[in-house]
Amino acid sequence: EDDINNLSKFKFRTMGDHDKLVAGIAAPVGGVMTECGTNPPVEHILSAEDAECCICLCPYEDGAELRELPCNHHFHCSCIDKWLHINATCPLCKFNIVKSNLDREEV
């Protein structure tokens, strides 16, 4: 449970045409993930194809809470939290989140 709660949490928001113009982005963009509790805010721009949860296959909607694993894959919090309680590895690349936290503590 602690390993899951220690993972980064983000809020998702879609980017409108005006936002893309201001940011100078020409490529198709699905939205922006903003890390919760960081100042200044840490943001990741997601391509249109990356702006969906690979567990439930639903596109991210404005205000969705996302969780990012140490391997940089991201999912809906509710989806990945359920997954990680069953299997502590990334569903895409099999990165073990428990082993990664143990490695960090040894450093």
Side-chain angles (χ1 to χ4, degrees):
E1 190 68 32
D2 288 340
D3 290 319
I4 295 170
N5 290 330
N6 287 332
L7 297 170
S8 301
K9 203 172 197 180
F10 292 79
K11 282 278 191 190
F12 179 81
R13 70 176 167 83
T14 55
M15 285 184 83
D17 291 335
H18 175 73
D19 294 329
K20 293 175 194 173
L21 194 61
V22 169
I25 300 169
V29 174
V32 178
M33 287 175 32
T34 304
E35 191 167 2
C36 300
T38 57
N39 191 14
V42 175
E43 294 187 332
H44 301 292
I45 296 174
L46 300 180
S47 68
E49 63 188 28
D50 282 342
E52 73 174 25
C53 179
C54 294
I55 296 174
C56 70
L57 303 177
C58 292
Y60 298 143
E61 296 181 357
D62 276 336
E65 287 189 331
L66 309 180
R67 198 176 294 283
E68 186 176 65
L69 303 184
C71 56
N72 296 323
H73 290 122
H74 45 82
F75 312 89
H76 288 119
C77 280
S78 57
C79 294
I80 195 64
D81 289 1
K82 285 179 199 172
W83 174 276
L84 292 173
H85 278 100
I86 297 166
N87 185 346
T89 61
C90 174
L92 295 176
C93 70
K94 307 302 182 217
F95 183 90
N96 186 318
I97 67 152
V98 175
K99 184 178 183 310
S100 74
N101 284 340
L102 291 174
D103 290 345
R104 266 190 246 129
E105 289 173 5
E106 292 172 5
V107 172

